[in-house]
Amino acid sequence: MTTASTGEPRWLSDEEQSVWRAYLHATTLMEDHLDRQLQRDAGMPHIYYGLLVQLSQAPRRQKRMTELAKDAKITRSRLSHAVARLEKSGWVRREDCPSDKRGQNAVLTDDGFEMLRRSAPGHVDAVRQAMFDRLTPEQVRSLGEIMQVVAAGLQPEGTDADLPWLR
Amino acid sequence: MTTASTGEPRWLSDEEQSVWRAYLHATTLMEDHLDRQLQRDAGMPHIYYGLLVQLSQAPRRQKRMTELAKDAKITRSRLSHAVARLEKSGWVRREDCPSDKRGQNAVLTDDGFEMLRRSAPGHVDAVRQAMFDRLTPEQVRSLGEIMQVVAAGLQPEGTDADLPWLR
DNA sequence: GACCTTTTCTTGAAAGTTGAACTAGATAGA
DNA sequence: TCTATCTAGTTCAACTTTCAAGAAAAGGTC
């Protein structure tokens, strides 16, 4: 977007710097933590797990590749590789889309669903311990609002129409 | 730590689920955004940039490898690769540690410092636009507290001694 | 239909990450 | 000193991500 072209850059205040550092550290540690937890208990990185969760909640436990990529906020290329891997592990299979011969549906297999059922409690537990058990209800509410605002601002444009609260 | 072994798993409430989703989306989008911005303007991923920033703020613009890895929250292995890459780009060089023959210091070169000076304004700008310009002062303060708590909870143990507010 | 553009998904190579194995030097105890 | 153990950092192989390129089908427009 705009690069700092006009005038002096607006540096971060001391408080902003400290908040930014805390944000980076917390998110880095959280990502590492969940990656390790899921690699250990489900044999896959966090993002792959997220894909399976998305599928498990979709109508017939399936989704078009592009839609899945958009919902999971990753590129189609990355999704192709990821689904190939999950397919090899037996947790997802591909099906041709009947209405569009270019299309593929990623389908959660029964094995995939079962694996999810088994590892979900441990994962929820990890999330709780790392985040929700440490925050007051007030903080949880506040975090939700903040993350909504940030996500909305970074949303690939066009989606802004859905988000009147951007300001 | 503890796995969900005893009794029913404590699932997330509707609000918690929604907050968690927002958190994942916002942090994913933010990481992508900064990676792209820095790849474009500084020719390196966000984490590499962070390493250079750390060095720029250290006493003689240098740090022991292990210390740098700890401060940046990455493994020594990952740091080895990263520094090798940054060395090839000319922004860091390695020096033997005089007091410990096993040790290496990563030193920010003048070129590295100059590159940082040039790209800092654009980076701050990106961070501002994505986060601080969208939040109220109240929200910034709250986010800081929340991230501190979360980071403290995930800190590899032992560090807990520094953090009496954990509960 | 012929032509051009767009969308969908995949592929391949280069870059980055991970975890385990390994080397060399430091440390401590007998 | 001799030995065992620990620490610092690197390396390798397997895996994941990115970016650019490409094949195939869909959607106009004339």
Side-chain angles (χ1 to χ4, degrees):
Chain A
M1 307 289 157
T2 68
T3 9
S5 43
T6 55
E8 274 302 292
R10 292 156 55 226
W11 300 111
L12 298 184
S13 70
D14 284 358
E15 192 201 8
E16 286 169 335
Q17 277 190 46
S18 135
V19 170
W20 183 238
R21 253 197 309 275
Y23 171 86
L24 290 179
H25 286 172
T27 54
T28 304
L29 290 170
M30 179 70 86
E31 185 61 17
D32 276 19
H33 183 63
L34 297 183
D35 264 345
R36 260 177 248 290
Q37 186 263 317
L38 285 170
Q39 194 71 57
R40 177 164 49 76
D41 298 347
M44 69 185 88
H46 185 207
I47 185 104
Y48 287 27
Y49 186 87
L51 295 175
L52 298 188
V53 170
Q54 295 257 10
L55 289 181
S56 77
Q57 295 170 344
R60 303 186 42 214
R61 288 186 194 159
Q62 57 181 267
K63 257 185 183 175
R64 281 289 292 271
M65 293 292 279
T66 295
E67 193 188 357
L68 182 52
K70 191 155 59 59
D71 294 348
K73 266 90 186 155
I74 63 176
T75 62
R76 284 196 303 275
S77 169
R78 188 175 175 182
L79 181 61
S80 268
H81 290 294
V83 168
R85 199 286 220 174
L86 291 170
E87 201 169 22
K88 194 147 46 179
S89 306
W91 292 319
V92 164
R93 69 170 182 282
R94 291 180 220 235
E95 281 183 6
D96 291 343
C97 175
S99 59
D100 185 337
K101 284 181 186 162
R102 297 168 302 180
Q104 292 281 102
N105 284 322
V107 187
L108 185 64
T109 63
D110 290 346
D111 281 2
F113 189 78
E114 179 57 22
M115 190 279 296
L116 221 43
R117 203 186 57 67
R118 274 199 315 275
S119 45
H123 182 58
V124 172
D125 212 51
V127 171
R128 262 203 183 296
Q129 283 187 22
M131 173 161 286
F132 293 106
D133 284 355
R134 299 181 181 274
L135 300 179
T136 67
E138 190 56 30
Q139 286 178 314
V140 171
R141 200 189 46 66
S142 175
L143 179 62
E145 284 173 11
I146 292 168
M147 292 294 124
Q148 294 269 20
V149 172
V150 172
L154 292 169
Q155 208 67 229
E157 52 195 270
T159 323
D160 285 25
D162 305 328
L163 310 164
W165 27 292
L166 225 174
R167 98 170 36 183
Chain B
M1 306 285 159
T2 68
T3 11
S5 43
T6 54
E8 273 303 289
R10 293 155 56 225
W11 300 112
L12 299 184
S13 70
D14 284 357
E15 192 201 8
E16 286 168 334
Q17 279 190 44
S18 136
V19 171
W20 183 240
R21 254 196 310 275
Y23 171 86
L24 290 179
H25 286 173
T27 53
T28 305
L29 290 170
M30 179 71 86
E31 184 62 16
D32 276 19
H33 183 63
L34 297 183
D35 265 345
R36 261 177 246 291
Q37 187 262 317
L38 285 170
Q39 194 70 57
R40 178 164 49 76
D41 298 346
M44 70 185 86
H46 184 207
I47 185 102
Y48 286 28
Y49 185 87
L51 295 176
L52 298 188
V53 170
Q54 296 257 10
L55 289 181
S56 76
Q57 296 170 343
R60 302 185 43 219
R61 288 187 195 158
Q62 58 180 266
K63 259 186 182 174
R64 281 289 291 271
M65 293 293 277
T66 294
E67 193 188 355
L68 182 51
K70 191 155 59 59
D71 294 349
K73 267 88 185 157
I74 64 177
T75 62
R76 288 196 302 280
S77 168
R78 189 174 176 182
L79 181 61
S80 269
H81 291 293
V83 168
R85 200 287 219 169
L86 291 171
E87 202 169 22
K88 194 147 48 177
S89 307
W91 292 319
V92 165
R93 69 171 181 280
R94 289 178 222 236
E95 280 182 7
D96 291 345
C97 175
S99 59
D100 185 337
K101 283 181 188 164
R102 295 168 304 179
Q104 293 281 99
N105 284 322
V107 188
L108 185 64
T109 63
D110 290 346
D111 280 2
F113 189 76
E114 179 56 23
M115 189 279 297
L116 220 43
R117 203 188 54 67
R118 273 199 316 274
S119 45
H123 182 58
V124 173
D125 211 50
V127 170
R128 261 201 185 296
Q129 283 186 22
M131 174 161 286
F132 293 106
D133 285 356
R134 299 179 181 275
L135 300 178
T136 66
E138 189 56 29
Q139 287 178 315
V140 170
R141 200 189 46 65
S142 175
L143 180 62
E145 284 173 11
I146 292 168
M147 292 294 121
Q148 294 268 19
V149 172
V150 171
L154 292 170
Q155 208 68 229
E157 53 196 86
T159 322
D160 285 26
D162 305 329
L163 311 165
W165 27 290
L166 223 176
R167 96 171 36 183

